[in-house]
Amino acid sequence: MPWLGWTADGEKSASMRLFLFLACLVASCSLSQAAPDQRPNILFLFTDDHATQAISAYGINHLTELAPTPQIDRIAEEGMLFRKCYVTNSICGPSRAVILTGKYSHLNGFRKNQDSFDGSQQTVPKLLRNGGYQTAIVGKWHLKSEPTGFDHYEVLKGQGQYYNPGLFTNGEMVKHEGYTTDIIVDRTIEWLESRDPDKPFFLMSQQKAPHGRWEPALRHLEWLDDVEVPEPATLFDDYSGRIAAADHKMGLAEHMGDKRLMLEYSSQHTPEQLSVFDAYFRPRNEAFLKANLEGRDCTRWHYQRYIKNYLRCVRGVDENVGRLLDYLDEKGLAENTVVFYSSDQGFYLGEHGWFDKRWMYEESYRTPLVVRWPGQIEAGSVDESHLVSNIDFTETFLDIAGEPVPEDMQGRSLVPIFKGESPQDWRKYHYYQYYESGGHGVPLHHGVSDGRYKLIRFTEPQHDGWEMYDLVEDPSEMESRYGDPAMAEHQVRLEKELVRLRRELKVEE
Ligand code: CA
């Protein structure tokens, strides 16, 4: 049939090759118009220093009833809550670098907050963008170098401030007026409105809150004012029984400073904002200074001032999580959008007398993770058996998008766990390492946890030694059991696993 273009010897004519090429081009164009990319959207809601103790879905302590987080809880009620999600390095920038790369700090190069992220390396937004996703980040970045791999970025400079933030927007600084937690979600919604609806999105919406210095929204200043927040049992910890804890510089008693205590303000408020803000704090500050409190009475006042402002900042976050969930509902996006809520690490809410993070102790090592994925995750699921980690987030995003996972990543996709499966070869041990020597008085350390038993190695000359805990017997980690004959079996086991993990994860010696 010569009209099909086959010559007598079976080869295509040049004109037929051109015809087939054009026909394929037309077919692929009409196919892409008819069938937009239906892969799930990924909305990663991320906050800074938000402890599981201050999320009511976790139900860890008295704060659950006092300061509920109904919108974050909604993600958990309609999705899955992870009770054993641990970070690889409990501090702000390093956690973010781990999530972007799927690699431990020693391999992604961002070990401590003073480092600058190498944006030329492989990251999840780059891989998703190459795979056809629209990628955007709005809010806190905190990695110093300019964001790469995003179609749109709009990020705070450094820590940012709670009022009237500047947002570095695709190379240009743009000033905004208002409360930063609200503005980040305003800008997130603005980007969602402007995106291409025929392509799936990967959107990181990342709050500064509730990172210090904890300046609440004007609308939340009075909330909790007449409440006495119960104190944690370890508020007056004397740090005996541990190697390095006594040398901390994160004490509510002595290390808060005037700005964390709101005796001085950090933001550049507008005159209108300042008049409301100051009208709340000034008379209370004057009464405090006049009372001249000492000892435990003074620490107790610091604790109340700290925890109330922290919880007020959390309330601002929670309300804005609700705004985004409502937006997804209104736009018909909820069914095909996987929503994550997490934080860069846990935090001390007065436990051990502390604010801040960094230690491998549970309050700062554990981070919140709740995920909603309609049709894939059974509503109201709770996972407390798997040890999961922020190093798993990267591969999870790629797996959701159906994109290949590079072999040099060090986590695991959580998708099988989302679907109710329990992979036989899931990790039984999790490796941790902290690098910011002396930050808030916390020395270098690394360790391994199996979710119940934990082995920690402190490595600086003045704090050279080991700690070990059984979280069932000593959930607050008040007394190291390292060297206790009753713990010998577990100690040997964890020491062996620590050696294995350091080798497998390519930790430099
Ligand atoms: Ca943080």
Side-chain angles (χ1 to χ4, degrees):
M1 298 196 295
W3 57 271
L4 274 179
W6 294 101
T7 57
D9 62 1
E11 287 186 8
K12 289 177 194 165
S13 68
S15 62
M16 190 57 207
R17 280 199 294 271
L18 180 64
F19 170 78
L20 287 174
F21 172 75
L22 290 172
C24 288
L25 196 66
V26 168
S28 73
C29 285
S30 59
L31 192 66
S32 69
Q33 277 170 4
D37 191 336
Q38 297 285 353
R39 287 178 293 170
N41 304 305
I42 300 166
L43 176 59
F44 183 64
L45 305 179
F46 197 56
T47 47
D48 197 314
D49 296 355
H50 193 182
T52 47
Q53 306 93 291
I55 294 178
S56 42
Y58 277 88
I60 286 175
N61 61 18
H62 52 273
L63 300 177
T64 295
E65 288 175 15
L66 188 73
T69 49
Q71 302 301 330
I72 298 167
D73 293 6
R74 198 176 134 196
I75 303 173
E77 284 156 15
E78 296 169 0
M80 180 176 272
L81 177 146
F82 288 84
R83 287 205 175 275
K84 289 182 180 165
C85 183
Y86 293 105
V87 293
T88 62
N89 182 359
S90 177
I91 188 155
C92 310
S95 174
R96 289 154 202 272
V98 165
I99 291 167
L100 286 174
T101 61
K103 294 176 185 170
Y104 271 79
S105 306
H106 60 278
L107 294 188
N108 70 44
F110 200 103
R111 296 172 180 80
K112 47 191 193 288
N113 276 342
Q114 294 74 24
D115 291 334
S116 181
F117 185 68
D118 171 11
S120 70
Q121 67 185 301
Q122 167 185 282
T123 62
V124 70
K126 287 182 189 174
L127 294 167
L128 289 174
R129 186 163 73 167
N130 290 341
Y133 271 63
Q134 293 167 90
T135 58
I137 180 167
V138 180
K140 191 159 183 182
W141 169 247
H142 202 209
L143 291 168
K144 284 205 180 132
S145 57
E146 185 174 1
T148 58
F150 295 99
D151 295 314
H152 175 85
Y153 72 79
E154 195 165 352
V155 296
L156 296 167
K157 188 179 175 195
Q159 297 282 7
Q161 56 178 18
Y162 270 104
Y163 283 84
N164 312 321
L167 288 169
F168 192 52
T169 306
N170 303 323
E172 186 185 343
M173 184 56 83
V174 180
K175 281 290 286 180
H176 295 268
E177 186 174 314
Y179 189 60
T180 300
T181 309
D182 301 335
I183 287 167
I184 287 171
V185 167
D186 293 346
R187 302 306 305 158
T188 300
I189 290 173
E190 184 74 21
W191 183 81
L192 284 165
E193 287 285 287
S194 69
R195 79 192 200 283
D196 176 357
D198 289 339
K199 289 169 81 177
F201 64 79
F202 172 66
L203 171 57
M204 307 180 95
S205 181
Q206 310 200 145
Q207 293 288 1
K208 167 192 174 60
H211 191 283
R213 301 139 180 173
W214 307 274
E215 296 185 336
L218 300 179
R219 64 183 181 277
H220 296 142
L221 288 172
E222 303 272 345
W223 179 58
L224 298 173
D225 199 39
D226 53 359
V227 173
E228 177 92 358
V229 182
E231 294 166 0
T234 58
L235 180 62
F236 297 105
D237 191 348
D238 67 2
Y239 313 112
S240 60
R242 280 144 293 172
I243 284 177
D247 290 339
H248 73 86
K249 293 187 176 63
M250 57 173 76
L252 291 172
E254 62 278 67
H255 302 113
M256 291 286 277
D258 287 354
K259 287 187 173 172
R260 288 196 191 88
L261 288 169
M262 220 57 62
L263 299 171
E264 286 180 31
Y265 314 141
S266 298
S267 284
Q268 299 290 314
H269 300 86
T270 66
E272 297 78 19
Q273 291 163 352
L274 184 61
S275 70
V276 179
F277 201 81
D278 192 52
Y280 176 78
F281 284 109
R282 181 177 294 271
R284 290 161 179 80
N285 291 347
E286 286 172 356
F288 164 67
L289 293 169
K290 192 175 166 194
N292 207 19
L293 300 175
E294 289 181 357
R296 292 193 169 196
D297 289 341
C298 188
T299 304
R300 291 195 152 106
W301 190 92
H302 287 188
Y303 170 72
Q304 294 295 326
R305 171 56 62 96
Y306 160 56
I307 195 68
K308 288 180 187 180
N309 284 339
Y310 180 95
L311 294 172
R312 288 164 180 152
C313 290
V314 167
R315 185 165 175 181
V317 166
D318 191 67
E319 289 175 354
N320 278 287
V321 168
R323 286 179 65 207
L324 280 169
L325 296 178
D326 290 347
Y327 177 88
L328 296 180
D329 286 340
E330 284 159 19
K331 299 291 178 178
L333 290 168
E335 284 300 307
N336 199 35
T337 300
V338 190
V339 179
F340 290 75
Y341 184 88
S342 187
S343 170
D344 56 356
Q345 45 2 252
F347 211 66
Y348 296 94
L349 303 182
E351 299 92 350
H352 308 290
W354 291 338
F355 64 93
D356 216 74
K357 53 256 180 177
R358 302 162 193 269
W359 303 95
M360 199 190 168
Y361 304 131
E362 283 296 287
E363 292 88 348
S364 50
Y365 179 38
R366 182 181 62 222
T367 204
L369 177 63
V370 291
V371 187
R372 184 181 79 176
W373 189 0
Q376 299 292 329
I377 295 179
E378 190 179 339
S381 314
V382 175
D383 186 274
E384 39 201 340
S385 55
H386 297 96
L387 274 180
V388 308
S389 173
N390 60 343
I391 204 161
D392 300 325
F393 296 0
T394 330
E395 293 178 42
T396 305
F397 300 146
L398 292 169
D399 198 6
I400 289 168
E403 289 296 312
V405 173
E407 288 203 347
D408 57 356
M409 288 188 176
Q410 297 180 302
R412 288 282 296 266
S413 168
L414 299 173
V415 169
I417 299 175
F418 290 168
K419 294 181 176 176
E421 298 164 14
S422 184
Q424 285 300 304
D425 58 347
W426 195 263
R427 75 168 68 81
K428 302 278 191 293
Y429 301 90
H430 182 257
Y431 180 73
Y432 179 86
Q433 186 155 3
Y434 171 75
Y435 294 86
E436 200 175 305
S437 173
H440 278 282
V442 182
L444 300 176
H445 61 288
H446 59 264
V448 61
S449 169
D450 69 1
R452 173 175 176 176
Y453 295 97
K454 187 189 295 183
L455 181 70
I456 309 175
R457 168 98 165 97
F458 291 90
T459 54
E460 292 186 47
Q462 68 274 35
H463 301 298
D464 186 1
W466 299 81
E467 291 182 1
M468 181 155 176
Y469 299 97
D470 174 354
L471 295 176
V472 170
E473 288 187 13
D474 181 16
S476 296
E477 297 160 289
M478 299 295 279
E479 181 79 41
S480 171
R481 303 277 306 279
Y482 186 81
D484 181 340
M487 297 288 276
E489 183 192 330
H490 298 297
Q491 189 177 307
V492 168
R493 177 172 60 87
L494 288 180
E495 282 171 345
K496 204 171 112 191
E497 292 299 329
L498 188 60
V499 170
R500 177 185 66 81
L501 280 169
R502 282 171 68 84
R503 186 178 63 241
E504 287 183 9
L505 296 170
K506 303 182 171 64
V507 179
E508 65 267 79
E509 294 295 333

